[in-house]
Amino acid sequence: MNGPRSILLVEDNPDDVDLTRRAFRRAGLTQPMEVVEDGVEALDYLFARGAHAHRAGEPLPALVLLDLKLPRLDGHEVLRQIRADARTRFLPVVILTSSDEEKDLVESYSHGCNSYVRKPVSYNEFVEAARQLGVYWLVLNRAPPAGGRA
């Protein structure tokens, strides 16, 4: 597979999934967006296991947009497991959440998130946030190869 690397959106709210897809499209971002609905599925996707075992050998997404309040396994634990594994420890992870709680912010950074973005309330602000996220993480930012090996 040699196309643009995907964005993995980990979000359980279908309205937020739709809003995020529309905002990224409107912002002109053309990367494919894969969506998983809970923390267990997010880890299965990233580590190519369970229902996502067919992904073995495929590249990791270019960016993970991770909600914190997820069923089965919350975003904090997902982030902790991403950072604990050599294959994903340098994968860019942006927390995209409606939480305004300082403990979520501090805990997210303590577990290694790359950025913490509170979901804007208005659609136009969300589109602008998506544009800025896309420009920074998908165009300007250079991430090390998977596992950090050169």
Side-chain angles (χ1 to χ4, degrees):
M1 183 174 139
N2 287 331
R5 290 174 52 205
S6 64
I7 298 168
L8 177 62
L9 174 63
V10 186
E11 173 61 65
D12 65 319
N13 182 324
D15 292 335
D16 285 352
V17 170
D18 185 51
L19 180 65
T20 305
R21 283 187 187 277
R22 285 189 291 131
F24 271 73
R25 234 184 348 260
R26 186 164 162 209
L29 301 169
T30 59
Q31 283 77 11
M33 183 175 286
E34 304 295 331
V35 178
V36 295
E37 298 179 356
D38 64 57
V40 171
E41 189 178 6
L43 293 173
D44 284 351
Y45 182 92
L46 291 170
F47 298 121
R49 61 188 188 205
H52 297 280
H54 64 280
R55 291 196 70 258
E58 290 188 20
L60 292 170
L63 176 66
V64 175
L65 300 174
L66 179 62
D67 192 14
L68 291 177
K69 312 296 184 209
L70 296 168
R72 299 207 296 166
L73 193 66
D74 73 13
H76 293 296
E77 183 56 31
V78 172
L79 181 58
R80 198 175 5 255
Q81 291 190 36
I82 287 172
R83 292 301 181 241
D85 192 293
R87 296 170 291 177
T88 54
R89 74 177 161 197
F90 295 125
L91 181 64
V93 177
V94 172
I95 303 299
L96 184 61
T97 181
S98 56
S99 174
D100 201 19
E101 296 180 40
E102 187 173 325
K103 72 175 182 63
D104 282 335
L105 176 74
V106 171
E107 190 172 349
S108 294
Y109 275 106
S110 73
H111 292 132
C113 80
N114 296 95
S115 186
Y116 188 99
V117 176
R118 188 164 187 274
K119 293 176 188 170
V121 175
S122 88
Y123 177 67
N124 287 337
E125 289 175 357
F126 201 153
V127 170
E128 179 57 20
R131 188 191 66 73
Q132 290 181 22
L133 282 170
V135 167
Y136 183 77
W137 289 106
L138 303 171
V139 177
L140 297 174
N141 183 56
R142 293 207 48 185
R149 286 174 256 136

